[in-house]
Amino acid sequence: MADLTVSSARPARTVATWNKLSDLTSRWSFMLPTIILLTAVLAYPLLYAVQISFSKFDLMTFGPGDWVGFSNYIKVLSDYRFWDSIRVTLVYLAFALPIQIALGFGIAYVINAPWWGRSAVRALFIIPLVVAPVVAGGIWRMILDPLWGLMNWVLGLVGIPALDWFGDPNLAMATIVIIDVWRWTPFVVLIATAALLSLPKDVFEAARIDGANWWQTLWMVALPLLVPVLAATFIVRWLGAVKMFDIVLASTFGGPGKSTVVVNLFIYQEAFRSLHFSESAAMAIIVLVLTMIITGILLGLSRKLEDVQ
Amino acid sequence: MEECTKKTVTAWGPSLMRLTGAGVALTTVLLGSAWAQDQVEIRIMAVDSYAKSWQDNLVPKFNEAFPNIKVTIDATTGAEMLAKMMLDAVDPNPVYDIVLADDPWVPQLAEIGALKDLKGPEIAAMTDPGYDWDDFNATPLAAGEWKGGQYAVPVRSNMLLMFYNRELYQKAGLPEPTPALTWDDFFEQSPKLFLDTDGDGNVDAWPFTTFFSRDVLTPTIWQTILNSNGGQLLDENGKPAFNNEAGVKAAEMQKRLIEIAPPGALGHGFSESLQAFRQGQAAVMFTWGSVYKATALDATISKVTDGKLGMQTLPVGSVSGGAHRGIWNAGIMAKTQHLEEAWTFLQWLTSKEGEQVNVSTVGSFPARKSTLAGEPPQEWMRPVFATLQQAYDVAAEGKMWRIRSPKSDATQQIQADEIARFLAGQATAEEALNSAAQQIEGVLE
């Protein structure tokens, strides 16, 4: 009897192992094309950039030459222009992201109320999203030009003197933030609208019965329920905003002075204008690592917020 | 029998026609393929601002003389063009036979062995005995030289020049500028060039405009002032020689220009300054000569037409007048499989006859002395030719060109960054120039 149990258990284990193996194989076989594709288009360029960042770039072969260790990183970290570009990027992020999130969710909350033009307004909000960043930068450059731009003319109608949008360092940064907010707030509005629509109606109904006013409903009911979506949206926008490049290139060229030289513009100029590919690769890797660390922190915070919920 | 013959003819008729048709078609295909086999294609990388115009206008003229060489010109944006050229040059099977390189790029391309020496024995053996190298002005020809080799030849010469609006000078009651105008004269006259042209009580025309934005070409203005005062970017040992009193004076003079330019000038690049001048909002503009034709002739985009436009070299400093060289050169890629055809095209384009065609069809500025001394093919070119020759001479005297080095673009970017910092008030002239000198020395080492 005991023998019978043992002999029947063995094939059962074999079958279980076989099934497990087969399951694993089929799962990986589904994932394999994606893995190959991602390796080809993401991992290879990334590893190549890492290789270049540790090499002297050989212009004769247009590829990585001698291994130079961390010297490119040391050179970059001691370049004041790199740190200035990081500072400029952080200033831009510090203004652009909160404004987009606040404005996006605010607009979504307002247009979420049922009224006759809601659908049309939602559709109009998509327009800035489909405008190419370079075109957006060029259009805004024309609008804000102190000599013939529309904006100063409009400001003049209400008695505000003409502003030198691209000549004043602070206003130039404001210009970049304005263009970016114009372009990306609709994206936040779309996400926020979907999130608001998915909120349970009975909670709002209960708040209404309890006598909550508009502000109390927003602050004490809607916002706490929206926190996970807010956090996720912030992270998505953070990952998009940290890549800021084309709008700056098309509108201010990084000027005046160094006031809008975001880090990606600096990396691009060092690589494709100065042909300092090794130093540029080192900067790109540093930015990648910093972005990953900050994204990790943001994700951790987001999870904590969800747990609190 | 007759019926039979008729039937036979009727039956054979269409077949014969089909056979004849097939024969004609076959002959056409065979002849076509033989012609196609004889035809060789060469590819050229050119900047997008004039690639299409060359393809549409210059290439057909070339094909009238050389129908068996098919020329394809690919347009590329200027910003990444050098990197693309270098990438193509190191490819075992490069795409391009000829590349059009901006003024400072020849040393960078020659240094990596990307270009053929056009005066070397291989090409010299193919060169027409009538091709006159000595007829080129030394200034534009030097843009294609590097370490004793001639790696490129000028195909579209350009110089930084002073444009002025005669109408605004008249309204201001000032004499028309001449090449003898000094910087002191210019600044002395400038207050009178703030004009209210429509009489509404507001200034709507300013004395000056040019590009002040953070761009690699912006320091050429500073450098031209420096050169016209006898200063140089590098000394005879190749070390920075501009972080001194002369450099500071030139930088401060460039900043003074912002004060007499329209609002927002600090953010203005090439396009905005050109637009301001064309709309009659500035009396003087420093810019590249190649915009002359459209500015002087095209009334749909310019108000400075009908003889209102004047052009000359930049004001005189303590040593000379000013100009800055910006030559587009054509070089042949070292790995080309079509050397003979590539040189046939380039030799035609830069010969005395070819340059005339280049000037008259697409309005390129010439580099040959004989072209400049001869009768201009179109009347608008007459003042251009005179000014261009003057600019070549002035530039040669003051070595008014960008740093000749395989690291030229990197040094230019550094100048752009530092001059921009100074113009925006983020650094003093001394700080910006010292920082630029330190960085450029590091790059050139």
Side-chain angles (χ1 to χ4, degrees), chain B residues 22-91:
Chain B
V24 169
L26 188 66
T27 311
T28 309
V29 168
L30 285 173
L31 280 173
S33 69
W35 182 76
Q37 274 174 4
D38 285 347
Q39 199 181 38
V40 175
E41 182 181 11
I42 57 168
R43 293 188 84 93
I44 300 175
M45 188 196 290
V47 72
D48 50 7
S49 56
Y50 58 88
K52 189 177 182 304
S53 146
W54 278 33
Q55 182 74 63
D56 295 345
N57 302 300
L58 263 186
V59 172
K61 295 280 182 193
F62 170 70
N63 283 141
E64 285 173 13
F66 299 95
N68 288 341
I69 300 176
K70 183 184 175 194
V71 180
T72 304
I73 303 178
D74 289 339
T76 310
T77 52
E80 296 94 13
M81 204 171 160
L82 177 62
K84 282 181 180 172
M85 280 182 201
M86 295 177 104
L87 195 58
D88 193 56
V90 299
D91 194 297

Side-chain angles (χ1 to χ4, degrees), chain B residues 338-359:
Chain B
H338 308 111
L339 179 59
E340 200 174 337
E341 290 79 11
W343 179 234
T344 300
F345 175 75
L346 210 50
Q347 191 178 210
W348 170 83
L349 182 65
T350 58
S351 66
K352 289 177 184 174
E353 300 73 26
E355 191 173 76
Q356 291 281 353
V357 177
N358 192 0
V359 169

Side-chain angles (χ1 to χ4, degrees), chain B residues 85-248:
Chain B
M85 280 182 201
M86 295 177 104
L87 195 58
D88 193 56
V90 299
D91 194 297
N93 299 302
V95 173
Y96 294 100
D97 303 287
I98 293 175
V99 287
L100 266 59
D102 196 6
D103 198 302
W105 295 348
V106 171
Q108 302 173 71
L109 291 163
E111 194 72 10
I112 63 162
L115 301 174
K116 291 268 187 195
D117 183 355
L118 302 179
K119 286 184 178 172
E122 195 181 8
I123 293 182
M126 301 174 192
T127 304
D128 189 297
Y131 189 82
D132 189 359
W133 282 105
D134 295 333
D135 184 43
F136 284 105
N137 270 286
T139 306
L141 191 64
E145 288 171 11
W146 178 243
K147 290 184 176 173
Q150 186 70 48
Y151 292 95
V153 58
V155 290
R156 193 171 184 270
S157 301
N158 211 352
M159 297 299 284
L160 183 70
L161 295 168
M162 172 173 155
F163 288 55
Y164 58 90
N165 184 327
R166 289 194 173 100
E167 193 178 34
L168 292 183
Y169 265 85
Q170 277 170 9
K171 279 185 182 166
L174 289 169
E176 193 176 309
T178 68
L181 181 84
T182 64
W183 279 105
D184 288 341
D185 296 337
F186 176 67
F187 280 115
E188 201 178 305
Q189 291 174 350
S190 63
K192 290 184 181 168
L193 290 164
F194 285 92
L195 297 169
D196 171 17
T197 58
D198 58 9
D200 69 350
N202 296 316
V203 170
D204 52 23
W206 287 261
F208 179 76
T209 185
T210 192
F211 31 88
F212 289 104
S213 63
R214 184 179 169 273
D215 184 79
V216 287
L217 290 177
T218 298
T220 58
I221 306 282
W222 162 72
Q223 191 195 329
T224 306
I225 302 169
L226 176 73
N227 293 154
S228 66
N229 286 329
Q232 286 296 315
L233 288 183
L234 303 179
D235 63 18
E236 60 275 12
N237 300 314
K239 301 280 183 195
F242 55 79
N243 50 331
N244 50 27
E245 200 183 324
V248 169

Side-chain angles (χ1 to χ4, degrees), chain A residues 227-251:
Chain A
V227 161
V229 184
L230 265 166
T233 311
F234 188 88
I235 292 168
V236 170
R237 274 308 301 135
W238 147 260
L239 288 171
V242 85
K243 292 186 292 189
M244 165 55 84
F245 165 73
D246 27 26
I247 286 175
V248 175
L249 188 72
S251 57

Side-chain angles (χ1 to χ4, degrees), chain A residues 186-247:
Chain A
F187 170 77
V188 181
V189 171
L190 287 180
I191 291 182
T193 306
L196 282 168
L197 287 172
S198 67
L199 291 180
K201 288 192 173 45
D202 49 350
V203 182
F204 287 91
E205 188 63 24
R208 196 181 62 78
I209 291 165
D210 289 345
N213 61 24
W214 180 86
W215 174 250
Q216 286 169 326
T217 309
L218 169 69
W219 189 247
M220 301 175 83
V221 181
L223 265 182
L225 287 170
L226 285 171
V227 161
V229 184
L230 265 166
T233 311
F234 188 88
I235 292 168
V236 170
R237 274 308 301 135
W238 147 260
L239 288 171
V242 85
K243 292 186 292 189
M244 165 55 84
F245 165 73
D246 27 26
I247 286 175

